[in-house]
Amino acid sequence: MLGRRSTVLSLLAGSLASLTHCSSHNAQIEDSGRDIPVDAQPLFDATDDIPSIDATTDSANDTTAAIDSESDADASSDGGRVAHVEIRDGRLWIDGRATLLYGGDLHYFRVRARNFDAAQTHAMWAQSLDLMRAAGMNLVTTYIPWDYHNPSEGNFDFTGARDVGRFLQMACDRGMYVVFKPGPLITAEWPRGFGTFGAVPAWWKAAHPEALVRNARGELWSYSPTGAQDQRQPSYLHPTFLAAVRDWYARSLAIARPFLGRCLIALQVDNETNGYWGNRYGDVDYSDASIAHWRSWLTAKYRTISALNARYGTTHASFEAVDPPRAGPGVGAGDRPRNALFADWYEAGQAYSNEYLRRLRAMMEAEGFRTPDVLFFTNDSPFALSAQDLLLRPVLLHDGPTKNSVGLAGLDLYPKQFPTNRNLQDQPFQTDWFTRLYDRYNDEYTGPQDFAYAAELQGGFYSYPAIGQPEVRAAATEQLLARSFGRGLKGGAFYVMRDGLNLDDSAYDYQAAIRADGTTTARYDVMRRWGAFLQREGPRLSTARAVSNRVAILANPRHQPPQAGVLDDMQRLWSNEYPALFGWLARAGIDAEVVDVRQATATELARYRVAFYLNPDFIDDATAEKLTNYATSSAGVLVNLLWPASTDDAFRPSDAQARYRALWPATAAGSWTWPNAARSGTVNVRLPTLDAQLASHWYASFWQPTSGGPTIEPFAWERTQPFGRDGGVVGYLVRDGARTRAFFGTSAWSRFNQDDLYTLPDSELNNARTMARYLCALGGERPIVSTNELHTFAFARKTPSGTLYVFVVNDANAAGERVVRFEDTTALGIDRARMYTVRDALDDRAIGALSGASLADRGVSAMLRAEGATVLTIE
């Protein structure tokens, strides 16, 4: 879960307070307007329940769980045997049946009686699972906290309120699938809520200080903002720690083994393995095991010390002499010579995490858990620790090509985290962008597929000590579901499904769908409505593919490591600006594809008519070569945003960088950083479709044309004060024979992934939309689906048989009718001569029979809840 890496963690040192205790539990659901009785009939048939664990047969039952589609008995992946679980043809198959997963994380260790009474605790588990089933859910995921079951050396307890086997059997008896998450690290604000990180036993850490993380000063590092000793954490690859994990796996996986081949479908390998949300520069991890790995990694990368010295500009005698950076990059250019070192230390941390995950998976396999009997998941949150746009600490962000070799990347989505505002989301397009990105990265594990899975969908949020609790409204849950499943999610679990108790009996109040006392909230109603939708439409929806423009956003994970001497905060660029760019285009009706530029081939790039690249004043040689070839050899339009790259990624000139720089025939003429709290200002823009002031953010860079070569055609200028006249050029076009490319030296998109998106004036939204459409039109691309209202947007998916799913999202705090327009009927496959049946599929309501001509000319009206979403089907 997210917040142990609290967005304001660094601001809260010394301020931990006890969370309020919840009242005693009652095993029955209290009477309320929206409560569901425990004996309510589930929304799907479970007569073919999985047999109890003492069944005599080992054959896997044909479980008819929710949201299954057609079976495929001939499918096989192991010598003709039908795989128990596999990903194939863009779908998850369980025992030969295509299945869409929908469920939540239920903490059996928190959903308990205060006095650990077994009967009362088991009744609470049963009640919670029944409520999940009644909401159309077929998936339950759970951590298995090591310290909860191993409170002292040699003492293991899996009985009574700790009987996780009983919990798993209850899920299986209800026809639910299980993802088993034994850690060893679970995060989860466990065991005492905010500021604690579970679940390696405190007694073990006290006994083995040699195996713990150390900071750059050689001191034992603590996850807790107060420095609590029991929140010191193990170094991933220390052999003493790995030996202890092997013993923990032997005991915990023995509980799971009887469910293998039945309801157990996946193991999660650790949880958010990113260096404990700790600062990579100065804090995590400078232990002996980590430093040894660092030097081994350098040796493998550079092979000779002379090669390393050439890149670093140093004179080290051996790899043993290369010390990692003991602090983060500075803000000035003076630190630039060390940027290659900063980047290597960051990337070595990724490799350290990956080697740890690889060892954990090998231990699980040694216990008998292997594909195709189970899937292996990892999971990560894709964003940095920040308060609004202020980066608090550089952390290890997920890198697909590194981590996805171990398992399918489970995505954590938490678009609402701040208690400082009442806006619906703090990062409105986090969900859209990262669902698409993780879909790409999962190809590293599955091969080319159209598959993404969310290990954690935001189901609420905890309260920060002394600051308060972000308000996660039920409408935020509806948008989260529309933006994730609409962008291609094929399964997901809400974190968490029910509030409960921490180990110290303090309340874990998460605004969950099910309260600690067993009553339900408005969020549960949203989950149930979407559960019914996914049951009806899941089989077809899981076959649908995005109807996207031939427009690419080229992501470069080289932008994750913080760097000195650049105006851009690199991790803010990755966490906020990429999703914002996607949102800027999405609000303009452009459904862009997401491409990791490191992996893209020339053939793939040539498919795109327009390619956007965020360029923070440096570019690695491989990317420079690819983009130069794209701009000069294909028919596509390259749009370079922010800077034209003055150096390579070692912050020195290179031949590849020089060739790329030559594409942009203008010289730097200064820049201006907006000094106000919002870090925003305006630039003058004159286009054939727009003559206005366009909002920009953070800074604007200014450019003068160079003599010789292609001329530039300015379209954006500095708005000088106080009269607003044109100043330095900020954006321009380059016409190079039949080819066009565009440069824009400021961010016109930042606010599309910031909470103030919801309060922007219509004029600003309209101008931004016009600018985005203009740049895409340079390559002949136009909106596919749009709406008649600036605070609403739509996008589509299409099945192989031609059924359209149109997702409509309303960011306005008012309900009403919206007109959805189908602007590119060719891409959508709409035939003007045909008749179509149109439905509101989310609310299961007929809209009517409309001709293709009517759809093309007038669109269709959709009713939307305030800040809500809906799904139309057209077939």
Side-chain angles (χ1 to χ4, degrees):
M1 161 29 222
L2 160 88
R4 31 259 188 215
R5 67 285 216 170
S6 151
T7 51
V8 291
L9 186 64
S10 297
L11 306 181
L12 295 177
S15 68
L16 274 180
S18 297
L19 300 180
T20 58
H21 289 206
C22 65
S23 60
S24 297
H25 293 280
N26 188 317
Q28 301 300 315
I29 300 180
E30 295 179 6
D31 185 20
S32 101
R34 62 167 56 93
D35 297 339
I36 308 296
V38 294
D39 60 351
Q41 291 298 312
L43 298 180
F44 53 92
D45 182 40
T47 56
D48 291 332
D49 283 342
I50 293 170
S52 62
I53 59 177
D54 59 357
T56 57
T57 177
D58 278 339
S59 63
N61 263 27
D62 179 16
T63 305
T64 307
I67 322 169
D68 286 355
S69 76
E70 76 275 10
S71 63
D72 184 5
D74 293 332
S76 64
S77 63
D78 184 14
R81 180 171 68 90
V82 174
H84 179 48
V85 57
E86 64 177 336
I87 295 168
R88 177 169 48 83
D89 302 327
R91 289 183 286 176
L92 175 69
W93 297 80
I94 302 176
D95 297 328
R97 184 184 297 274
T99 305
L100 190 151
L101 297 175
Y102 180 62
D105 208 73
L106 187 61
H107 289 179
Y108 69 91
F109 48 93
R110 278 184 165 126
V111 179
R112 61 168 176 84
R114 188 177 295 276
N115 63 357
F116 291 88
D117 179 80
Q120 189 177 1
T121 297
H122 296 168
M124 294 165 68
W125 294 349
Q127 177 199 41
S128 304
L129 292 166
D130 286 340
L131 282 167
M132 292 173 69
R133 282 293 304 268
M137 293 181 173
N138 64 346
L139 172 69
V140 61
T141 70
T142 187
Y143 298 118
I144 318 299
W146 182 358
D147 54 357
Y148 188 63
H149 295 285
N150 186 196
S152 60
E153 186 171 8
N155 177 23
F156 286 86
D157 187 356
F158 294 95
T159 64
R162 292 177 167 85
D163 190 350
V164 63
R166 176 74 171 265
F167 176 78
L168 296 179
Q169 186 62 57
M170 287 181 177
C172 290
D173 287 344
R174 287 160 174 78
M176 302 182 79
Y177 297 117
V178 173
V179 175
F180 193 79
K181 305 192 292 186
L185 301 162
I186 70 165
T187 331
E189 298 84 52
W190 178 261
R192 298 187 304 277
F194 174 83
T196 58
F197 189 114
V200 177
W203 64 262
W204 186 92
K205 291 184 284 188
H208 298 285
E210 77 284 357
L212 304 183
V213 169
R214 293 185 180 270
N215 64 23
R217 297 180 298 280
E219 304 160 341
L220 291 174
W221 175 85
S222 172
Y223 173 81
S224 169
T226 62
Q229 291 188 18
D230 70 349
Q231 285 304 300
R232 293 168 176 171
Q233 301 296 341
S235 185
Y236 292 148
L237 290 183
H238 196 284
T240 303
F241 174 56
L242 292 177
V245 173
R246 185 176 293 107
D247 182 58
W248 164 242
Y249 276 1
R251 294 178 183 272
S252 59
L253 292 176
I255 305 296
R257 191 174 294 109
F259 303 92
L260 190 60
R262 299 187 176 98
C263 61
L264 181 70
I265 60 168
L267 297 179
Q268 183 173 297
V269 186
D270 207 54
N271 186 65
E272 294 171 354
T273 309
N274 59 8
Y276 305 99
W277 293 96
N279 191 338
R280 178 61 177 159
Y281 300 90
D283 285 341
V284 181
D285 175 8
Y286 295 80
S287 67
D288 290 345
S290 176
I291 297 300
H293 181 273
W294 151 251
R295 289 173 176 148
S296 175
W297 182 86
L298 288 176
T299 303
K301 177 176 181 177
Y302 291 102
R303 298 185 180 274
T304 67
I305 193 63
S306 60
L308 178 144
N309 284 331
R311 183 162 177 82
Y312 286 7
T314 54
T315 57
H316 294 299
S318 69
F319 289 108
E320 292 302 310
V322 184
D323 200 40
R326 301 279 169 170
V331 296
D335 257 358
R336 272 196 171 196
R338 301 179 68 222
N339 276 340
L341 172 67
F342 292 135
D344 276 351
W345 176 240
Y346 182 91
E347 291 172 12
Q350 296 279 29
Y352 191 67
S353 298
N354 183 62
E355 175 62 15
Y356 165 64
L357 292 171
R358 191 187 67 78
R359 302 256 189 118
L360 295 185
R361 173 168 169 169
M363 292 180 197
M364 292 175 169
E365 290 174 329
E367 293 296 327
F369 293 80
R370 300 183 182 89
T371 58
D373 295 323
V374 292
L375 288 177
F376 290 96
F377 288 115
T378 63
N379 91 299
D380 274 296
S381 293
F383 43 85
L385 281 172
S386 61
Q388 304 292 72
D389 287 304
L390 175 65
L391 182 72
L392 296 180
R393 58 176 58 160
V395 301
L396 293 175
L397 301 171
H398 179 79
D399 180 63
T402 301
K403 286 189 177 178
N404 281 38
S405 61
V406 176
L408 192 81
L411 171 62
D412 291 0
L413 293 169
Y414 289 89
K416 181 63 182 179
Q417 301 171 41
F418 305 126
T420 54
N421 66 74
R422 297 195 70 252
N423 291 322
L424 185 67
Q425 311 280 24
D426 298 312
Q427 293 187 20
F429 279 92
Q430 177 196 99
T431 299
D432 308 66
W433 166 260
F434 285 110
T435 300
R436 285 281 184 85
L437 183 67
Y438 273 52
D439 178 2
R440 282 278 180 160
Y441 282 160
N442 279 333
D443 291 351
E444 298 292 317
Y445 181 64
T446 65
Q449 299 276 357
D450 185 39
F451 193 91
Y453 168 80
E456 297 180 23
L457 292 165
Q458 183 169 19
F461 210 78
Y462 55 79
S463 179
Y464 297 113
I467 291 180
Q469 191 169 29
E471 180 186 15
V472 184
R473 299 200 286 276
T477 301
E478 179 146 285
Q479 282 214 14
L480 178 67
L481 285 163
R483 290 166 177 264
S484 58
F485 282 98
R487 298 298 184 186
L489 199 72
K490 302 295 178 65
F494 282 101
Y495 185 97
V496 293
M497 283 303 300
R498 181 167 175 165
D499 296 328
L501 296 173
N502 295 315
L503 188 58
D504 63 355
D505 280 347
S506 60
Y508 191 61
D509 176 9
Y510 206 79
Q511 309 172 61
I514 309 171
R515 299 183 184 96
D517 64 3
T519 58
T520 61
T521 68
R523 192 179 323 285
Y524 179 83
D525 296 343
V526 172
M527 293 179 183
R528 183 171 56 178
R529 181 167 62 248
W530 278 82
F533 162 75
L534 291 172
Q535 283 184 301
R536 291 189 302 268
E537 301 293 335
R540 284 195 305 175
L541 178 60
S542 65
T543 68
R545 303 293 295 268
V547 184
S548 55
N549 290 87
R550 283 193 281 177
V551 174
I553 297 175
L554 305 178
N556 191 344
R558 180 61 180 80
H559 297 162
Q560 291 181 357
Q563 303 282 260
V566 296
L567 280 178
D568 294 284
D569 178 324
M570 300 305 294
Q571 293 210 323
R572 181 184 64 83
L573 188 76
W574 181 261
S575 298
N576 292 9
E577 295 297 290
Y578 277 110
L581 177 56
F582 186 93
W584 181 45
L585 297 176
R587 281 292 202 95
I590 304 296
D591 193 347
E593 295 191 21
V594 178
V595 180
D596 186 325
V597 71
R598 297 173 302 174
Q599 300 171 309
T601 64
T603 300
E604 180 182 9
L605 289 178
R607 291 179 45 236
Y608 298 106
R609 291 176 174 175
V610 184
F612 288 84
Y613 185 68
L614 286 171
N615 202 351
D617 199 24
F618 67 92
I619 190 167
D620 59 281
D621 285 353
T623 300
E625 293 283 9
K626 289 180 183 180
L627 297 187
T628 301
N629 291 337
Y630 173 79
T632 58
S633 303
S634 76
V637 173
L638 178 62
V639 182
N640 185 99
L641 303 170
L642 301 182
W643 294 92
S646 60
T647 70
D648 66 8
D649 67 340
F651 289 81
R652 292 175 298 207
S654 74
D655 291 342
Q657 170 268 324
R659 286 190 291 273
Y660 183 74
R661 181 65 183 82
L663 297 175
W664 312 105
T667 56
S671 64
W672 175 253
T673 300
W674 309 114
N676 53 62
R679 298 293 297 276
S680 64
T682 56
V683 295
N684 293 333
V685 172
R686 284 194 293 279
L687 307 170
T689 54
L690 180 67
D691 187 348
Q693 288 78 54
L694 186 70
S696 66
H697 307 277
W698 296 97
Y699 60 80
S701 57
F702 308 137
W703 304 90
Q704 292 178 339
T706 56
S707 58
T711 59
I712 68 171
E713 300 175 19
F715 62 78
W717 295 262
E718 171 193 10
R719 182 173 170 80
T720 60
Q721 301 299 324
F723 303 109
R725 298 192 179 98
D726 290 349
V729 172
V730 174
Y732 59 86
L733 302 181
V734 181
R735 309 281 188 183
D736 189 2
R739 297 184 179 91
T740 300
R741 49 189 176 268
F743 172 85
F744 197 27
T746 190
S747 169
W749 52 87
S750 286
R751 283 181 165 175
F752 287 87
N753 199 43
Q754 295 180 179
D755 63 88
D756 60 356
L757 171 65
Y758 304 99
T759 60
L760 296 183
D762 286 357
S763 59
E764 185 170 337
L765 291 172
N766 185 64
N767 292 346
R769 181 173 70 177
T770 303
M771 180 80 228
R773 288 180 174 179
Y774 171 77
L775 291 173
C776 290
L778 293 172
E781 287 297 296
R782 60 192 178 95
I784 295 174
V785 184
S786 67
T787 66
N788 67 327
E789 208 274 337
L790 288 166
H791 296 269
T792 306
F793 69 101
F795 52 95
R797 301 184 71 80
K798 185 167 66 173
T799 69
S801 63
T803 298
L804 286 173
Y805 286 89
V806 181
F807 291 79
V808 191
V809 178
N810 178 26
D811 282 337
N813 191 19
E817 189 175 56
R818 304 289 187 267
V819 176
V820 180
R821 296 170 174 152
F822 304 100
E823 302 200 38
D824 189 341
T825 55
T826 300
L828 293 166
I830 294 175
D831 183 346
R832 294 180 64 91
R834 282 187 56 191
M835 292 298 296
Y836 292 88
T837 299
V838 183
R839 294 186 60 81
D840 183 323
L842 181 59
D843 290 332
D844 197 19
R845 178 177 57 85
I847 292 177
L850 298 173
S851 68
S854 177
L855 290 172
D857 296 339
R858 291 184 291 277
V860 65
S861 294
M863 293 300 302
L864 286 130
R865 287 170 281 271
E867 299 177 320
T870 197
V871 188
L872 307 179
T873 56
I874 300 172
E875 56 185 323

